Amino acid sequence: MDTDTVRSPAADDSAGRRREQRGWYFYDWACSVYSTTVVTVFLGPYLTTVTEAAADADGFVHPLGVPVRAGSFFAYAVSLSVVVAVLVMPLVGAAADRTGRKKPLLAAAAYTGAAATAGMFFLDGDRYLLGGLLLVVANAAQSVAMMLYNSYLPQIAPPEERDAVSSRGWAFGYAAGALVLVANLVLYTGHDSFGVSEGMAVRICLASAGLWWGAFALIPLRRLRDRRTPAREAALPGFRQLAATVRDMRRHPLTLAFLLAYLVYNDGIQTVISQASVYGSKELGLGQSTLIVAVLLVQVLAVAGALLLGRLARRYGAKRTILGSLVAWTLTLAAGYFLPAGAPVWFFVLAAGIGLVLGGSQALSRSLFSHLVPPGKEAEYFSAYEISDRGLSWLGPLLFGLTYQLTGSYRDAILSLVGFFVLGFVLLARVPVRRAIADAGNPVPQRI
């Protein structure tokens, strides 16, 4: 036998792991276009315009008889979508634990979100309620899918690879967002030459995100493997499973302390992502083309930023790198309060600052948490992580919307978000991550 052609079991395991990792990256490539094109760029200003068309003389709409200022409707819809996601995720997480079949559940969540996003093509006129409903469904489905997607990380990457693998996943997502935004920019700015109205161009861009999501989700669904869950982990339905997980996590209070810190500062990140385009269009008076270019700048720099912060984490540790990113978030957001209206150059500078820290702060948070998960409890702990990810993410948009409703100023609304980063920094700085990793029963990396 030619020994040069014989692969060792270790080599086969390594090749299989690399194949799964490459497939895993492609789910970020698939779904991040929704976050960029829909949530960050187009839907906020467009749905606000549609809502304003349906508003009464005082600028209010009345869904279910509740008076809502038209400018706050999008933020409230985002908040409602988070509440729905938090209610659904424990049920789906328990089903994944009980059956060990994450892929069918990931497929169901991904294609529900993709279908709702494609349905935004029909959002025109004064159909603000349709837009709100599709946003709630798509956002909740994305949250459920991300819960399942993130729970694969400890299974496909050993501890020493996780910062790099997580960072590459985020980089893939931002690269896809940049690529599709270029196409969006061509269509939107040249809509007359394509023979479509501005509103139709926006609706095509929204729907294209759903089609992209559905098409590229096929790659991870082909490459990721289901792993059977031990019978001892497959006991409880939805909220009883969540309650059992929380009880178990009480045995690891430092893991809970990290989740609290992440919950706070990530809420600020998510709110900036979802509300930045509304701030740019309604407060600063910037056109849609300017917003697209700014978000495109964020996407391009976020690819480099995610990889750069991944390198910094190898040198200085993930915790220190995240803390540094939170300082940058605080300074950038505070500077945003003083941006002059009608000055796109300064908005681009703000976008550059956001882009450099956006992907890395999220990627390193995910990989750092993976070290705090007790062995054999990856799926249920990542369910709790995603609930922490979304659990207070309704508070930032709600605070943003309420601040605007009370003051009529988006500047005051954006400034209200600084506290999330300051408090998140304080809470994370107090977590002794080395002891937390050891208490979870995992080996402590040299740099963490």
Side-chain angles (χ1 to χ4, degrees):
M1 178 181 293
D2 184 359
T3 57
D4 290 338
T5 64
V6 176
R7 294 176 60 87
S8 69
D12 288 337
D13 289 345
S14 177
R17 187 174 74 249
R18 301 295 183 199
R19 185 176 189 275
E20 279 197 275
Q21 288 174 359
R22 288 191 292 269
W24 188 80
Y25 300 149
F26 267 97
Y27 188 75
D28 250 323
W29 175 273
C31 75
S32 292
V33 170
Y34 165 80
S35 299
T36 303
T37 292
V38 178
V39 178
T40 306
V41 178
F42 284 108
L43 189 59
Y46 184 70
L47 181 55
T48 300
T49 299
V50 171
T51 307
E52 290 171 346
D56 59 22
D58 295 322
F60 286 82
V61 291
H62 301 269
L64 303 178
V66 178
V68 174
R69 191 186 289 270
S72 297
F73 180 76
F74 173 71
Y76 291 158
V78 172
S79 293
L80 179 59
S81 72
V82 173
V83 173
V84 172
V86 169
L87 292 175
V88 173
M89 279 191 286
L91 302 174
V92 177
D97 283 338
R98 187 165 55 249
T99 64
R101 291 173 55 80
K102 282 191 262 189
K103 277 209 301 185
L105 295 170
L106 176 60
Y111 285 105
T112 296
T117 305
M120 291 177 186
F121 178 80
F122 301 102
L123 176 59
D124 61 353
D126 59 359
R127 297 178 178 175
Y128 76 98
L129 284 177
L130 174 64
L133 175 63
L134 292 175
L135 171 59
V136 168
V137 172
N139 250 15
Q142 186 199 37
S143 297
V144 172
M146 287 300 295
M147 171 195 70
L148 297 164
Y149 165 73
N150 285 338
S151 71
Y152 276 101
L153 179 59
Q155 297 175 337
I156 64 173
E160 66 275 9
E161 294 182 3
R162 286 182 202 164
D163 287 346
V165 170
S166 185
S167 296
R168 288 187 199 117
W170 283 106
F172 260 61
Y174 287 118
L179 178 64
V180 174
L181 269 185
V182 171
N184 293 155
L185 183 61
V186 170
L187 175 62
Y188 182 81
T189 57
H191 60 84
D192 286 335
S193 62
F194 288 103
V196 298
S197 67
E198 180 178 319
M200 175 63 78
V202 172
R203 290 159 53 201
I204 291 172
C205 291
L206 292 172
S208 70
L211 297 177
W212 179 282
W213 187 356
F216 284 102
L218 291 172
I219 297 175
L221 290 173
R222 286 181 61 87
R223 293 197 172 187
L224 292 172
R225 295 189 294 112
D226 278 332
R227 292 163 173 84
R228 282 295 173 186
T229 304
R232 62 181 177 83
E233 297 182 4
L236 301 173
F239 292 103
R240 291 177 61 197
Q241 176 66 53
L242 177 61
T245 301
V246 171
R247 285 195 300 271
D248 186 77
M249 293 180 77
R250 291 173 61 185
R251 298 170 45 237
H252 304 283
L254 297 180
T255 300
L256 279 175
F258 171 82
L259 279 178
L260 177 61
Y262 174 70
L263 183 150
V264 172
Y265 69 73
N266 183 66
D267 193 12
I269 294 173
Q270 296 301 322
T271 307
V272 172
I273 291 171
S274 67
Q275 304 303 321
S277 60
V278 176
Y279 180 69
S281 65
K282 299 300 180 182
E283 182 68 36
L284 303 182
L286 302 177
Q288 191 72 55
S289 298
T290 299
L291 296 176
I292 295 174
V293 172
V295 175
L296 179 60
L297 179 62
V298 170
Q299 300 300 303
V300 172
L301 290 178
V303 175
L307 298 176
L308 173 62
L309 264 65
R311 288 181 177 272
L312 290 175
R314 287 200 294 272
R315 182 170 181 177
Y316 299 106
K319 179 184 174 180
R320 289 182 180 178
T321 307
I322 295 170
L323 289 172
S325 76
L326 296 181
V327 172
W329 271 110
T330 301
L331 296 176
T332 302
L333 200 59
Y337 176 84
F338 298 101
L339 289 185
V345 172
W346 289 109
F347 192 71
F348 292 152
V349 172
L350 182 72
I354 291 174
L356 287 173
V357 295
L358 177 59
S361 56
Q362 294 174 310
L364 294 178
S365 297
R366 177 171 62 186
S367 59
L368 179 56
F369 178 74
S370 72
H371 294 285
L372 308 180
V373 177
K377 296 181 178 292
E378 291 83 4
E380 60 179 294
Y381 270 61
F382 264 99
S383 296
Y385 176 84
E386 190 66 22
I387 290 172
S388 296
D389 189 347
R390 305 297 178 182
L392 274 187
S393 291
W394 58 269
L395 184 58
L398 180 62
L399 179 62
F400 188 93
L402 284 175
T403 304
Y404 175 77
Q405 179 147 344
L406 294 173
T407 67
S409 170
Y410 284 110
R411 291 185 187 274
D412 292 337
I414 204 75
L415 190 62
S416 70
L417 303 179
V418 169
F420 288 99
F421 296 101
V422 174
L423 181 57
F425 179 96
V426 172
L427 293 174
L428 179 59
R430 293 169 58 88
V431 178
V433 293
R434 288 186 171 276
R435 183 149 57 92
I437 295 170
D439 288 352
N442 293 317
V444 180
Q446 183 178 2
R447 296 283 187 184
I448 194 63

